[in-house]
């Protein structure tokens, strides 16, 4: 049956906003989400859940819950900048000082731990937190059970020897060279809502962030990996502005892509975004991108002050330029004119 054409003078149906999904964790995901919310309100963060350090590690060890820190940061990145959202966003990021039992804990970590304990389900708890913060979008864990990262590392002992280390903090801070990583349990179950979001998205972003501990783990969850293979969305990799001390020290931009290909050789990418000033040999990056089926797009997406942070508006415009239909997305400059820049200033984190 064919649909009746709209009557003359009738209002055409309103198209839903284009959907974007960002996979990662920590500071890298925070920056990606700040950029994506300039393009659309339909943003979903899919967050790694293997952190075992600091406040998150303490709560995970004591309560057996998902480590809340990366989830908290994603919520703060997407919190609305109105008076209520800005206040709650800042409170979520506030960290207690002193030397007592609360020292080092972020308020948002404790609140998420309480919500999960009361509601019994991390996805429901995160949805409630989104309502509290007036989040534009959704924050989901990649799995609903905490995971453990393990790695093979060279350079920790005699020449040529390979050691195995365990834990996100240990992998992220190792002085050795990480060869590969994997998860425990080895075939974790993905959060179903995260799989659905990837399959329904128009653009999916991997990176930036800690390559071995925040970006690659999503590819080791079978259902998430399959969703990334099956999604009709444009798949975009966003490279870091600089290697991470310890985890990727000495890595070139193209080396990041080589590692991605080694861990997921069947994954095809549509575009690789990199900062113009962070790519010493553009031709090498273009060749590495082509190995993944992608084109390399170089643009000035870093902050003008030279710090290793992405500029939200510049990154948003770069992402918009590689989508299938750029006209479907908000223009970052228009978003800023409507007050998005003020919202950014009001959602501080530390």
């Amino acid at each position: 049956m064919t649909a009746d054409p709209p009557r003359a003078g009738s209002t055409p149906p309103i198209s839903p906003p284009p959907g974007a999904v960002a996979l990662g964790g920590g500071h890298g995901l925070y920056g990606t989400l700040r950029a994506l919310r300039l393009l659309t309100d339909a943003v979903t963060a899919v967050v790694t859940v293997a952190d075992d350090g600091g406040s998150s590690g303490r709560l995970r060890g004591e309560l057996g819950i998902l480590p809340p820190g990366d989830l908290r940061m994603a919520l703060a990145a997407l919190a609305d900048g109105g008076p209520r959202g800005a206040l709650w966003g800042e409170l979520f990021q506030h960290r207690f000082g002193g030397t007592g039992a609360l020292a080092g804990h972020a308020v948002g970590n404790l609140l998420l731990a309480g919500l999960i304990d009361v509601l019994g389900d991390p996805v429901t708890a995160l949805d409630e937190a989104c309502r509290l913060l007036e989040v534009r979008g959704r924050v989901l864990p990649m799995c609903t059970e905490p995971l453990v990262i393990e790695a093979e590392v060279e350079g920790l002992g005699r020449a040529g020897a390979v050691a195995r280390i365990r834990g996100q903090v240990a992998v992220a801070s190792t002085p050795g060279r990480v060869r590969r990583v994997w998860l425990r349990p080895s075939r974790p179950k993905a959060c179903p809502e995260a799989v659905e979001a990837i399959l329904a998205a128009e653009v999916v972003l991997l990176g930036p962030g800690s390559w071995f501990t925040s970006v690659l783990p999503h590819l080791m969850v079978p259902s998430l990996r399959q969703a990334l293979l099956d999604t009709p969305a444009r798949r975009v990799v966003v490279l870091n502005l600089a290697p991470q001390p310890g985890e990727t020290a000495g890595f070139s931009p193209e080396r990041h892509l080589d590692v991605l290909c080694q861990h997921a050789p069947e994954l095809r990418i549509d575009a690789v975004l990199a900062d113009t000033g962070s790519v010493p040999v553009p031709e090498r990056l273009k060749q590495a991108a082509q190995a993944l089926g992608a084109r390399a797009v170089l643009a000035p997406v870093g902050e003008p002050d030279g710090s290793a942070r992405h500029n939200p508006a510049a990154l948003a415009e770069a992402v918009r330029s590689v989508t299938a239909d750029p006209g479907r997305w908000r223009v970052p400059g228009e978003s800023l004119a409507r007050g998005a820049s003020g919202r950014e200033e009001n959602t501080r984190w530390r």
Side-chain angles (χ1 to χ4, degrees):
M1 179 182 295
T2 59
D4 293 333
R7 294 189 303 271
S10 63
T11 302
I14 298 174
S15 298
V21 174
L23 296 87
H27 302 254
L29 180 61
Y30 182 95
T32 301
L33 295 174
R34 290 174 69 212
L36 287 179
R37 76 181 199 176
L38 299 179
L39 298 175
T40 178
D41 289 339
V43 180
T44 301
V46 179
V47 185
T48 184
V49 289
D51 192 6
D52 59 357
S55 170
S56 290
R58 289 161 61 189
L59 291 170
R60 171 180 176 166
E62 293 173 13
L63 304 176
I65 62 169
L66 293 179
D70 287 349
L71 297 164
R72 181 199 83 243
M73 288 184 66
L75 286 163
L78 292 175
D80 184 77
R84 178 184 172 191
L87 173 61
W88 278 104
E90 184 169 354
L91 180 63
F92 246 61
Q93 298 289 60
H94 176 73
R95 198 176 294 274
F96 291 107
T99 57
L102 289 178
H105 279 303
V107 172
N109 289 358
L110 298 174
L111 185 54
L112 285 174
L115 282 170
I116 294 172
D117 197 39
V118 169
L119 298 173
D121 174 59
V123 173
T124 303
L126 286 164
D127 286 344
E128 286 297 326
C130 283
R131 280 187 276 273
L132 178 67
L133 291 163
E134 298 182 344
V135 160
R136 300 185 180 191
R138 197 176 191 192
V139 175
L140 297 168
M142 71 179 191
C143 299
T144 55
E145 298 294 333
L147 302 175
V148 175
I149 292 177
E150 296 182 349
E152 285 184 355
V153 181
E154 294 177 322
L156 295 181
R158 68 181 188 279
V162 177
R164 290 192 173 190
I165 58 177
R166 180 182 176 90
Q168 182 172 6
V169 172
V171 175
S173 60
T174 179
R177 180 175 178 177
V178 180
R179 291 178 50 178
R180 70 182 184 97
V181 292
W182 60 91
L183 297 175
R184 297 290 185 216
S186 59
R187 294 183 62 84
K189 293 183 179 180
C191 171
E193 293 85 353
V195 171
E196 293 171 5
I198 293 171
L199 293 174
E202 295 184 37
V203 63
V204 175
L205 271 63
L206 273 168
S210 301
W211 214 244
F212 286 103
T213 55
S214 291
V215 178
L216 294 181
H218 293 83
L219 300 172
M220 300 168 201
V221 180
S223 295
L224 284 184
R225 186 187 189 113
Q226 192 61 48
L228 286 168
L229 296 177
D230 294 341
T231 181
R234 302 280 287 180
R235 291 172 286 254
V236 180
V237 169
V238 183
L239 292 179
N240 295 336
L241 296 173
Q244 180 177 341
E247 189 169 320
T248 55
F251 272 36
S252 64
E254 54 270 17
R255 176 61 180 156
H256 286 78
L257 296 185
D258 292 341
V259 169
L260 178 64
C261 189
Q262 290 167 13
H263 283 78
E266 74 280 29
L267 180 64
R268 299 292 88 186
I269 300 296
D270 295 289
V272 174
L273 298 183
D275 180 63
T276 307
S278 302
V279 182
V281 188
E283 191 58 36
R284 291 180 185 173
L285 179 63
K286 291 177 183 178
Q287 292 173 359
Q290 288 172 0
L292 292 167
R295 66 184 178 100
V297 177
L298 276 64
V301 294
E303 288 286 5
D305 62 7
S307 60
R309 294 182 296 120
H310 286 85
N311 177 272
L315 180 56
E317 182 53 43
V319 171
R320 179 176 173 271
S321 73
V322 299
T323 59
D325 183 3
R328 285 260 294 146
W329 306 80
R330 286 199 299 251
V331 176
E334 293 176 354
S335 300
L336 290 169
R338 287 197 295 267
S341 59
R343 293 201 302 271
E344 301 300 346
E345 291 297 321
N346 286 328
T347 50
R348 299 192 301 272
W349 55 271
R350 58 181 182 269

